[in-house]
Amino acid sequence: MNAPHPGVQRVGVAALSAYRDRIDVRSPAEFALDHVPAAENHPVLDDAERARIGTLYTASPFTARKRGAALVARNIATMLETAFADRDREWQPLVYCWRGGQRSRALTQVLNEVGWRAVQLEGGYRAYRRHVVAELARLPQRFRFVAICGLTGSGKSRLLAALARSGAQTLDLEGIARHRGSLLGDLPGDPQPSQKWFESQLFDALETLDASRPVFVESESRRIGSVQMPDALLAQMRAARVLTLVTPQAQRVALLKKEYAHFISAPDLLGACLKPLIELHGKAKVARWEAAAAAGDWDRLVAELLETHYDPMYARSLALNFPSSRESLVIEAPDVSPDAFATLACEVRAMLDAAEAIES
């Protein structure tokens, strides 16, 4: 632990919520991997500078500190003249680096010399990261989750969004993960977060929830694309009350064609994504699906993918991971229009209220 420095006030991770303005002085690469939610990146050393000083440090720590200090001073001066130039006298930022050491202390001290009431995060990002891991093991147990189950294309995400618009409390895991949770679930031009950034956003979302109200969430497997669900959250979801959304296949096909429209304009991309299915379904069947995509026969292709691959796989996963789905409340979606889901969201909330009233 770094010793306190004269003139620099340090606060613990528990005080984070008291500071709306958060400054991450680590390098852009460190920031991109993960950071405190709502933090702005104002590096006192950029990626190249940090690497250069690190290399120099192995040969001469004194020379590295001397040159590093010059770079830090110049970068802080630039911040004062640009990013921080319009901050008013009452500004109270929280500043952090990797472990609450020299990088954040340097900026915090200068900001206080100017007259702002800046504080340094004790332990830096490392302390914050330990806090996130601990809280993700504890927080999920506070909530009553309601898991929305349903076959692929039934509109679970749309129902969840409609519930949020209606005022219900929701946790959008696929939105945080930037992935639809299936083999074809990548969002074009929108890469998934790192595992750590996923967990930071998840922690931030859980902290805003009211434990006295139910939380609607989509049923998910352990992995959503490349990121993994925390064990405590997954366990709490799998013990949740289940709502099963039933949607006619024709409507499911229509919805999936809209949500995966990027494949319609690039059938070769779909073909590449289907390659992993060869091991399960054989080369001939996957080749037939690729040919259907190339020919634009999307209705037949989507229907066959649902019947042959997605529906059986989802049924097995549901039986394994959500055994309470056998006793779930069933909700039917006659169509997948926005108005239909808005109406359905109101019906779901009324159905849940009635069920909980009977149980109490």
Side-chain angles (χ1 to χ4, degrees), residues 101-135:
Q102 294 178 347
R103 286 188 288 175
S104 57
R105 185 171 64 228
L107 179 58
T108 306
Q109 188 165 8
V110 170
L111 295 180
N112 277 284
E113 291 291 343
V114 171
W116 289 308
R117 288 176 288 175
V119 299
Q120 183 185 24
L121 179 62
E122 187 169 11
Y125 168 79
R126 287 201 307 181
Y128 161 75
R129 175 62 187 163
R130 287 194 295 268
H131 180 69
V132 168
V133 171
E135 288 298 285

mmCIF file of all heavy atoms in Angstrom, residues 101-135:
data_model
loop_
_atom_site.group_PDB
_atom_site.id
_atom_site.type_symbol
_atom_site.label_atom_id
_atom_site.label_comp_id
_atom_site.label_asym_id
_atom_site.label_seq_id
_atom_site.Cartn_x
_atom_site.Cartn_y
_atom_site.Cartn_z
ATOM 1 N N GLY A 101 -1.021 4.960 -6.764
ATOM 2 C CA GLY A 101 0.366 5.383 -6.571
ATOM 3 C C GLY A 101 0.673 6.726 -7.189
ATOM 4 O O GLY A 101 -0.125 7.666 -7.152
ATOM 5 N N GLN A 102 1.838 6.800 -7.812
ATOM 6 C CA GLN A 102 2.374 8.085 -8.246
ATOM 7 C C GLN A 102 1.570 8.730 -9.364
ATOM 8 O O GLN A 102 1.433 9.964 -9.398
ATOM 9 C CB GLN A 102 3.827 7.913 -8.688
ATOM 10 C CG GLN A 102 4.770 7.531 -7.561
ATOM 11 C CD GLN A 102 6.195 7.316 -8.032
ATOM 12 O OE1 GLN A 102 6.462 7.224 -9.227
ATOM 13 N NE2 GLN A 102 7.113 7.224 -7.085
ATOM 14 N N ARG A 103 1.052 7.941 -10.304
ATOM 15 C CA ARG A 103 0.360 8.554 -11.442
ATOM 16 C C ARG A 103 -0.873 9.337 -10.992
ATOM 17 O O ARG A 103 -1.075 10.484 -11.392
ATOM 18 C CB ARG A 103 -0.029 7.478 -12.466
ATOM 19 C CG ARG A 103 1.141 6.965 -13.271
ATOM 20 C CD ARG A 103 0.689 6.058 -14.392
ATOM 21 N NE ARG A 103 0.215 4.754 -13.923
ATOM 22 C CZ ARG A 103 -0.313 3.823 -14.705
ATOM 23 N NH1 ARG A 103 -0.481 4.070 -16.003
ATOM 24 N NH2 ARG A 103 -0.685 2.658 -14.217
ATOM 25 N N SER A 104 -1.713 8.721 -10.169
ATOM 26 C CA SER A 104 -2.907 9.429 -9.711
ATOM 27 C C SER A 104 -2.576 10.487 -8.670
ATOM 28 O O SER A 104 -3.218 11.546 -8.605
ATOM 29 C CB SER A 104 -3.934 8.440 -9.154
ATOM 30 O OG SER A 104 -3.393 7.659 -8.109
ATOM 31 N N ARG A 105 -1.560 10.224 -7.850
ATOM 32 C CA ARG A 105 -1.183 11.205 -6.829
ATOM 33 C C ARG A 105 -0.697 12.502 -7.469
ATOM 34 O O ARG A 105 -1.000 13.598 -6.998
ATOM 35 C CB ARG A 105 -0.100 10.629 -5.916
ATOM 36 C CG ARG A 105 0.259 11.560 -4.753
ATOM 37 C CD ARG A 105 1.155 10.869 -3.751
ATOM 38 N NE ARG A 105 2.446 10.518 -4.319
ATOM 39 C CZ ARG A 105 3.024 9.325 -4.205
ATOM 40 N NH1 ARG A 105 2.419 8.345 -3.548
ATOM 41 N NH2 ARG A 105 4.209 9.086 -4.739
ATOM 42 N N ALA A 106 0.062 12.386 -8.566
ATOM 43 C CA ALA A 106 0.590 13.575 -9.229
ATOM 44 C C ALA A 106 -0.539 14.482 -9.703
ATOM 45 O O ALA A 106 -0.518 15.700 -9.465
ATOM 46 C CB ALA A 106 1.478 13.160 -10.402
ATOM 47 N N LEU A 107 -1.523 13.908 -10.373
ATOM 48 C CA LEU A 107 -2.625 14.733 -10.867
ATOM 49 C C LEU A 107 -3.470 15.263 -9.719
ATOM 50 O O LEU A 107 -3.868 16.440 -9.718
ATOM 51 C CB LEU A 107 -3.501 13.925 -11.831
ATOM 52 C CG LEU A 107 -4.713 14.686 -12.387
ATOM 53 C CD1 LEU A 107 -4.279 15.951 -13.129
ATOM 54 C CD2 LEU A 107 -5.557 13.792 -13.288
ATOM 55 N N THR A 108 -3.751 14.430 -8.732
ATOM 56 C CA THR A 108 -4.572 14.865 -7.605
ATOM 57 C C THR A 108 -3.946 16.059 -6.895
ATOM 58 O O THR A 108 -4.637 17.032 -6.550
ATOM 59 C CB THR A 108 -4.776 13.708 -6.596
ATOM 60 O OG1 THR A 108 -5.288 12.572 -7.280
ATOM 61 C CG2 THR A 108 -5.736 14.105 -5.495
ATOM 62 N N GLN A 109 -2.639 15.994 -6.703
ATOM 63 C CA GLN A 109 -1.959 17.085 -6.000
ATOM 64 C C GLN A 109 -2.025 18.388 -6.805
ATOM 65 O O GLN A 109 -2.293 19.459 -6.245
ATOM 66 C CB GLN A 109 -0.507 16.710 -5.714
ATOM 67 C CG GLN A 109 0.208 17.719 -4.827
ATOM 68 C CD GLN A 109 1.506 17.162 -4.269
ATOM 69 O OE1 GLN A 109 1.936 16.086 -4.665
ATOM 70 N NE2 GLN A 109 2.112 17.888 -3.349
ATOM 71 N N VAL A 110 -1.815 18.305 -8.106
ATOM 72 C CA VAL A 110 -1.876 19.514 -8.936
ATOM 73 C C VAL A 110 -3.288 20.097 -8.922
ATOM 74 O O VAL A 110 -3.464 21.325 -8.807
ATOM 75 C CB VAL A 110 -1.423 19.204 -10.373
ATOM 76 C CG1 VAL A 110 -1.712 20.388 -11.298
ATOM 77 C CG2 VAL A 110 0.068 18.867 -10.409
ATOM 78 N N LEU A 111 -4.294 19.245 -9.036
ATOM 79 C CA LEU A 111 -5.675 19.744 -9.029
ATOM 80 C C LEU A 111 -5.986 20.457 -7.719
ATOM 81 O O LEU A 111 -6.683 21.492 -7.709
ATOM 82 C CB LEU A 111 -6.653 18.587 -9.254
ATOM 83 C CG LEU A 111 -6.579 17.895 -10.624
ATOM 84 C CD1 LEU A 111 -7.602 16.760 -10.705
ATOM 85 C CD2 LEU A 111 -6.793 18.876 -11.762
ATOM 86 N N ASN A 112 -5.495 19.909 -6.621
ATOM 87 C CA ASN A 112 -5.713 20.566 -5.329
ATOM 88 C C ASN A 112 -4.943 21.879 -5.218
ATOM 89 O O ASN A 112 -5.417 22.835 -4.608
ATOM 90 C CB ASN A 112 -5.330 19.622 -4.184
ATOM 91 C CG ASN A 112 -6.447 18.647 -3.846
ATOM 92 O OD1 ASN A 112 -7.429 19.010 -3.213
ATOM 93 N ND2 ASN A 112 -6.311 17.401 -4.298
ATOM 94 N N GLU A 113 -3.762 21.945 -5.814
ATOM 95 C CA GLU A 113 -3.003 23.189 -5.818
ATOM 96 C C GLU A 113 -3.760 24.282 -6.574
ATOM 97 O O GLU A 113 -3.701 25.465 -6.210
ATOM 98 C CB GLU A 113 -1.629 22.969 -6.454
ATOM 99 C CG GLU A 113 -0.680 22.110 -5.642
ATOM 100 C CD GLU A 113 -0.208 22.791 -4.365
ATOM 101 O OE1 GLU A 113 -0.343 24.022 -4.259
ATOM 102 O OE2 GLU A 113 0.280 22.080 -3.462
ATOM 103 N N VAL A 114 -4.481 23.888 -7.628
ATOM 104 C CA VAL A 114 -5.288 24.856 -8.374
ATOM 105 C C VAL A 114 -6.424 25.400 -7.511
ATOM 106 O O VAL A 114 -6.793 26.571 -7.608
ATOM 107 C CB VAL A 114 -5.854 24.199 -9.651
ATOM 108 C CG1 VAL A 114 -6.885 25.113 -10.321
ATOM 109 C CG2 VAL A 114 -4.722 23.864 -10.627
ATOM 110 N N GLY A 115 -6.973 24.529 -6.646
ATOM 111 C CA GLY A 115 -8.083 24.935 -5.803
ATOM 112 C C GLY A 115 -9.285 24.017 -5.867
ATOM 113 O O GLY A 115 -10.277 24.228 -5.171
ATOM 114 N N TRP A 116 -9.198 23.000 -6.710
ATOM 115 C CA TRP A 116 -10.260 22.008 -6.767
ATOM 116 C C TRP A 116 -10.087 21.013 -5.617
ATOM 117 O O TRP A 116 -8.993 20.819 -5.097
ATOM 118 C CB TRP A 116 -10.219 21.265 -8.099
ATOM 119 C CG TRP A 116 -10.640 22.109 -9.262
ATOM 120 C CD1 TRP A 116 -11.779 22.842 -9.387
ATOM 121 C CD2 TRP A 116 -9.908 22.297 -10.484
ATOM 122 N NE1 TRP A 116 -11.803 23.479 -10.613
ATOM 123 C CE2 TRP A 116 -10.670 23.162 -11.310
ATOM 124 C CE3 TRP A 116 -8.675 21.827 -10.963
ATOM 125 C CZ2 TRP A 116 -10.264 23.559 -12.581
ATOM 126 C CZ3 TRP A 116 -8.259 22.210 -12.220
ATOM 127 C CH2 TRP A 116 -9.049 23.074 -13.018
ATOM 128 N N ARG A 117 -11.188 20.357 -5.259
ATOM 129 C CA ARG A 117 -11.145 19.410 -4.138
ATOM 130 C C ARG A 117 -11.086 17.973 -4.668
ATOM 131 O O ARG A 117 -12.032 17.201 -4.536
ATOM 132 C CB ARG A 117 -12.352 19.624 -3.227
ATOM 133 C CG ARG A 117 -12.254 20.919 -2.417
ATOM 134 C CD ARG A 117 -13.493 21.157 -1.596
ATOM 135 N NE ARG A 117 -14.632 21.555 -2.441
ATOM 136 C CZ ARG A 117 -15.870 21.738 -1.978
ATOM 137 N NH1 ARG A 117 -16.138 21.507 -0.705
ATOM 138 N NH2 ARG A 117 -16.837 22.119 -2.793
ATOM 139 N N ALA A 118 -9.976 17.656 -5.281
ATOM 140 C CA ALA A 118 -9.786 16.322 -5.848
ATOM 141 C C ALA A 118 -9.356 15.350 -4.763
ATOM 142 O O ALA A 118 -8.681 15.721 -3.800
ATOM 143 C CB ALA A 118 -8.728 16.370 -6.947
ATOM 144 N N VAL A 119 -9.765 14.077 -4.937
ATOM 145 C CA VAL A 119 -9.351 13.022 -4.015
ATOM 146 C C VAL A 119 -8.761 11.876 -4.827
ATOM 147 O O VAL A 119 -9.051 11.717 -6.014
ATOM 148 C CB VAL A 119 -10.526 12.508 -3.157
ATOM 149 C CG1 VAL A 119 -11.118 13.628 -2.301
ATOM 150 C CG2 VAL A 119 -11.603 11.871 -4.029
ATOM 151 N N GLN A 120 -7.945 11.076 -4.171
ATOM 152 C CA GLN A 120 -7.299 9.924 -4.795
ATOM 153 C C GLN A 120 -7.954 8.644 -4.281
ATOM 154 O O GLN A 120 -8.234 8.518 -3.092
ATOM 155 C CB GLN A 120 -5.809 9.930 -4.460
ATOM 156 C CG GLN A 120 -5.015 8.800 -5.117
ATOM 157 C CD GLN A 120 -3.555 8.798 -4.650
ATOM 158 O OE1 GLN A 120 -3.245 9.307 -3.580
ATOM 159 N NE2 GLN A 120 -2.674 8.219 -5.452
ATOM 160 N N LEU A 121 -8.218 7.728 -5.198
ATOM 161 C CA LEU A 121 -8.812 6.448 -4.801
ATOM 162 C C LEU A 121 -7.743 5.571 -4.167
ATOM 163 O O LEU A 121 -6.754 5.194 -4.818
ATOM 164 C CB LEU A 121 -9.420 5.738 -6.011
ATOM 165 C CG LEU A 121 -10.062 4.380 -5.723
ATOM 166 C CD1 LEU A 121 -11.243 4.517 -4.756
ATOM 167 C CD2 LEU A 121 -10.511 3.704 -7.024
ATOM 168 N N GLU A 122 -7.946 5.229 -2.914
ATOM 169 C CA GLU A 122 -6.979 4.401 -2.199
ATOM 170 C C GLU A 122 -6.940 2.997 -2.797
ATOM 171 O O GLU A 122 -7.963 2.341 -2.953
ATOM 172 C CB GLU A 122 -7.346 4.321 -0.718
ATOM 173 C CG GLU A 122 -6.311 3.613 0.116
ATOM 174 C CD GLU A 122 -6.549 3.778 1.602
ATOM 175 O OE1 GLU A 122 -7.629 4.272 1.979
ATOM 176 O OE2 GLU A 122 -5.662 3.413 2.382
ATOM 177 N N GLY A 123 -5.747 2.550 -3.150
ATOM 178 C CA GLY A 123 -5.606 1.227 -3.756
ATOM 179 C C GLY A 123 -5.840 1.215 -5.245
ATOM 180 O O GLY A 123 -5.594 0.204 -5.905
ATOM 181 N N GLY A 124 -6.356 2.333 -5.792
ATOM 182 C CA GLY A 124 -6.539 2.470 -7.226
ATOM 183 C C GLY A 124 -7.455 1.435 -7.854
ATOM 184 O O GLY A 124 -8.344 0.877 -7.210
ATOM 185 N N TYR A 125 -7.223 1.195 -9.143
ATOM 186 C CA TYR A 125 -8.063 0.252 -9.885
ATOM 187 C C TYR A 125 -8.032 -1.136 -9.264
ATOM 188 O O TYR A 125 -9.052 -1.833 -9.248
ATOM 189 C CB TYR A 125 -7.601 0.182 -11.348
ATOM 190 C CG TYR A 125 -8.230 -0.981 -12.082
ATOM 191 C CD1 TYR A 125 -9.532 -0.908 -12.556
ATOM 192 C CD2 TYR A 125 -7.534 -2.184 -12.259
ATOM 193 C CE1 TYR A 125 -10.127 -1.983 -13.206
ATOM 194 C CE2 TYR A 125 -8.116 -3.258 -12.898
ATOM 195 C CZ TYR A 125 -9.417 -3.155 -13.362
ATOM 196 O OH TYR A 125 -9.998 -4.234 -13.982
ATOM 197 N N ARG A 126 -6.896 -1.555 -8.730
ATOM 198 C CA ARG A 126 -6.812 -2.905 -8.138
ATOM 199 C C ARG A 126 -7.804 -3.060 -6.997
ATOM 200 O O ARG A 126 -8.446 -4.110 -6.863
ATOM 201 C CB ARG A 126 -5.394 -3.198 -7.653
ATOM 202 C CG ARG A 126 -4.394 -3.442 -8.758
ATOM 203 C CD ARG A 126 -3.181 -4.205 -8.253
ATOM 204 N NE ARG A 126 -2.582 -3.566 -7.085
ATOM 205 C CZ ARG A 126 -1.498 -4.015 -6.469
ATOM 206 N NH1 ARG A 126 -0.892 -5.100 -6.906
ATOM 207 N NH2 ARG A 126 -0.997 -3.383 -5.419
ATOM 208 N N ALA A 127 -7.941 -2.033 -6.171
ATOM 209 C CA ALA A 127 -8.900 -2.097 -5.068
ATOM 210 C C ALA A 127 -10.324 -2.122 -5.607
ATOM 211 O O ALA A 127 -11.186 -2.858 -5.097
ATOM 212 C CB ALA A 127 -8.713 -0.899 -4.139
ATOM 213 N N TYR A 128 -10.574 -1.327 -6.636
ATOM 214 C CA TYR A 128 -11.904 -1.329 -7.263
ATOM 215 C C TYR A 128 -12.224 -2.712 -7.837
ATOM 216 O O TYR A 128 -13.321 -3.239 -7.640
ATOM 217 C CB TYR A 128 -11.956 -0.276 -8.373
ATOM 218 C CG TYR A 128 -13.086 -0.500 -9.344
ATOM 219 C CD1 TYR A 128 -14.399 -0.213 -8.999
ATOM 220 C CD2 TYR A 128 -12.834 -1.056 -10.607
ATOM 221 C CE1 TYR A 128 -15.432 -0.456 -9.892
ATOM 222 C CE2 TYR A 128 -13.856 -1.300 -11.499
ATOM 223 C CZ TYR A 128 -15.162 -1.000 -11.140
ATOM 224 O OH TYR A 128 -16.194 -1.257 -12.013
ATOM 225 N N ARG A 129 -11.274 -3.316 -8.520
ATOM 226 C CA ARG A 129 -11.499 -4.626 -9.141
ATOM 227 C C ARG A 129 -11.790 -5.685 -8.078
ATOM 228 O O ARG A 129 -12.700 -6.517 -8.257
ATOM 229 C CB ARG A 129 -10.268 -5.018 -9.979
ATOM 230 C CG ARG A 129 -10.326 -6.408 -10.584
ATOM 231 C CD ARG A 129 -11.467 -6.571 -11.547
ATOM 232 N NE ARG A 129 -11.585 -7.970 -11.976
ATOM 233 C CZ ARG A 129 -12.647 -8.482 -12.554
ATOM 234 N NH1 ARG A 129 -13.716 -7.723 -12.776
ATOM 235 N NH2 ARG A 129 -12.677 -9.744 -12.902
ATOM 236 N N ARG A 130 -11.059 -5.680 -6.970
ATOM 237 C CA ARG A 130 -11.339 -6.638 -5.888
ATOM 238 C C ARG A 130 -12.758 -6.419 -5.349
ATOM 239 O O ARG A 130 -13.460 -7.384 -5.011
ATOM 240 C CB ARG A 130 -10.309 -6.481 -4.773
ATOM 241 C CG ARG A 130 -8.927 -7.018 -5.106
ATOM 242 C CD ARG A 130 -8.058 -7.137 -3.860
ATOM 243 N NE ARG A 130 -7.781 -5.843 -3.266
ATOM 244 C CZ ARG A 130 -6.717 -5.104 -3.552
ATOM 245 N NH1 ARG A 130 -5.820 -5.545 -4.427
ATOM 246 N NH2 ARG A 130 -6.522 -3.946 -2.955
ATOM 247 N N HIS A 131 -13.167 -5.171 -5.264
ATOM 248 C CA HIS A 131 -14.505 -4.839 -4.776
ATOM 249 C C HIS A 131 -15.575 -5.394 -5.717
ATOM 250 O O HIS A 131 -16.584 -5.964 -5.266
ATOM 251 C CB HIS A 131 -14.627 -3.318 -4.659
ATOM 252 C CG HIS A 131 -15.956 -2.837 -4.163
ATOM 253 N ND1 HIS A 131 -16.388 -3.040 -2.870
ATOM 254 C CD2 HIS A 131 -16.955 -2.163 -4.803
ATOM 255 C CE1 HIS A 131 -17.600 -2.500 -2.723
ATOM 256 N NE2 HIS A 131 -17.962 -1.976 -3.877
ATOM 257 N N VAL A 132 -15.378 -5.237 -7.017
ATOM 258 C CA VAL A 132 -16.340 -5.745 -8.004
ATOM 259 C C VAL A 132 -16.499 -7.258 -7.878
ATOM 260 O O VAL A 132 -17.615 -7.787 -7.857
ATOM 261 C CB VAL A 132 -15.907 -5.364 -9.434
ATOM 262 C CG1 VAL A 132 -16.726 -6.128 -10.475
ATOM 263 C CG2 VAL A 132 -16.056 -3.868 -9.652
ATOM 264 N N VAL A 133 -15.384 -7.967 -7.801
ATOM 265 C CA VAL A 133 -15.425 -9.432 -7.696
ATOM 266 C C VAL A 133 -16.175 -9.862 -6.438
ATOM 267 O O VAL A 133 -17.017 -10.768 -6.472
ATOM 268 C CB VAL A 133 -13.998 -10.012 -7.714
ATOM 269 C CG1 VAL A 133 -14.012 -11.503 -7.391
ATOM 270 C CG2 VAL A 133 -13.341 -9.765 -9.066
ATOM 271 N N ALA A 134 -15.890 -9.192 -5.330
ATOM 272 C CA ALA A 134 -16.560 -9.544 -4.074
ATOM 273 C C ALA A 134 -18.052 -9.248 -4.133
ATOM 274 O O ALA A 134 -18.879 -10.040 -3.672
ATOM 275 C CB ALA A 134 -15.911 -8.781 -2.916
ATOM 276 N N GLU A 135 -18.411 -8.106 -4.716
ATOM 277 C CA GLU A 135 -19.822 -7.719 -4.770
ATOM 278 C C GLU A 135 -20.624 -8.595 -5.726
ATOM 279 O O GLU A 135 -21.797 -8.880 -5.479
ATOM 280 C CB GLU A 135 -19.940 -6.252 -5.169
ATOM 281 C CG GLU A 135 -19.510 -5.277 -4.088
ATOM 282 C CD GLU A 135 -20.395 -5.405 -2.842
ATOM 283 O OE1 GLU A 135 -21.539 -4.937 -2.877
ATOM 284 O OE2 GLU A 135 -19.929 -6.008 -1.858
#
